[in-house]
């Protein structure tokens, strides 16, 4: 029987897709984001082993809430595509049993054709674009953004629905040219139902300390409302340029 390595679960998620959602956080991530608030999800073979049926039984009790609110199941992480056979089977089952809406919260760091079966049973992709500039992306996450941009393009070309999300860190994401470029890229994509800036916060610092890791963004504040509004404005300017 197939098992997945699960970090945690949330029964009343309200930010990871439409409606009220069951959110399953998977273990494992190849990106090492400097602002990660769950560095304890990085190790792939850690966490709790769960079968598909064990996850389904956790979901079942709350089905009325998910259905009545237009919600469903979101699988997040870590990076859920690292365990794509498990997530694919889980999505198939919730659709077969309950016709539940499925959302995948991913950094896009995978090959779209490799995980195609998963994407085919995913109703909505929450795509995290960490940085539009490749060199800055490598500094921020340890990896190139090439795969993420390729995934975004694949979703666009295949008529998939997505929400694009961008964590904003002062000093890392404030460059006007970067924000314009990000907007221009998003403006070339089809199927983007929503774009969200997620303001950086320090809520995960204690986890770095607990793991004995030095926190890379020590002393970096959360962005002000003015900074976030400016970023939205510049990104929208870029999107408008793309559609001209």
């Amino acid at each position: 029987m197939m098992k997945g390595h699960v970090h945690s679960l949330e029964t009343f998620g309200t930010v990871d897709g439409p409606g009220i959602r069951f959110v399953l956080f998977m273990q494992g991530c190849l990106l090492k984001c400097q602002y990660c608030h769950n560095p304890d999800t990085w190790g792939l073979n850690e966490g709790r082993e769960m079968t598909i049926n064990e996850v389904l039984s956790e979901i079942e009790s709350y089905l009325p809430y998910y259905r009545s609110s237009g919600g469903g199941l979101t699988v997040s992480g870590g990076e859920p595509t690292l365990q794509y056979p498990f997530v694919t089977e889980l999505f198939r089952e919730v659709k077969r049993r309950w016709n539940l809406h499925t959302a995948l919260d991913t950094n896009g760091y995978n090959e779209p054709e490799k995980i195609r079966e998963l994407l085919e049973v995913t109703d909505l992709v929450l795509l995290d674009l960490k940085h539009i500039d490749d060199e800055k992306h490598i500094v921020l996450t340890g990896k190139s953004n090439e795969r993420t941009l390729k995934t975004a393009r694949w979703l666009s070309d295949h008529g998939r629905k997505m929400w694009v999300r961008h964590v904003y860190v002062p000093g890392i994401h404030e460059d006007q040219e970067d924000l314009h470029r990000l907007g221009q890229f998003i403006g070339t994509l089809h199927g983007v139902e929503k774009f969200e800036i997620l303001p950086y916060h320090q809520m995960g610092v204690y986890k770095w300390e607990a793991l004995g890791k030095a926190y890379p963004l020590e002393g970096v504040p959360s962005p002000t409302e003015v900074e976030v509004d400016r970023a939205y404005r510049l990104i929208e300017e870029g999107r408008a340029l793309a559609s001209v």
Side-chain angles (χ1 to χ4, degrees), residues 179-189 235 238-239 241-242:
L179 293 166
H180 271 152
R181 277 178 61 207
L182 176 62
Q184 282 179 290
F185 177 73
I186 294 167
T188 66
L189 301 174
I235 289 164
R239 286 179 81 169
L241 285 172

Side-chain angles (χ1 to χ4, degrees), residues 98-111:
W98 307 311
N99 196 27
L100 212 53
H101 181 275
T102 55
L104 183 72
D105 182 6
T106 176
N107 58 37
Y109 193 75
N110 214 311
E111 292 297 331

Side-chain angles (χ1 to χ4, degrees), residues 26-34 36 38-39 41-45 77-83 106-111 114 130 137-138 140-144 147:
M26 306 299 291
Q27 275 291 145
C29 191
L30 298 177
L31 270 56
K32 303 292 181 269
C33 297
Q34 292 183 346
C36 182
N38 283 319
T41 62
W42 288 355
L44 183 55
N45 294 315
E79 174 45 50
T81 65
L82 293 180
Q83 299 190 63
T106 176
N107 58 37
Y109 193 75
N110 214 311
E111 292 297 331
K114 181 179 169 186
K130 312 286 188 182
H137 192 281
I138 291 167
L140 181 64
T141 71
K143 300 286 184 187
S144 168
R147 284 187 180 184

Side-chain angles (χ1 to χ4, degrees), residues 114-132:
K114 181 179 169 186
I115 61 168
R116 186 176 190 130
E117 285 191 14
L118 169 57
L119 296 173
E120 282 171 356
V121 286
T122 299
D123 295 314
L124 175 68
V125 175
L126 310 175
L127 185 66
D128 297 316
L129 283 180
K130 312 286 188 182
H131 210 298
I132 195 66

Side-chain angles (χ1 to χ4, degrees), residues 15-16 105 126-129 163-167 195-196 198:
V15 294
D16 297 301
D105 182 6
L126 310 175
L127 185 66
D128 297 316
L129 283 180
W163 291 5
V164 176
R165 311 210 285 187
H166 185 65
V167 174
F195 170 73
E196 288 181 293
L198 307 178

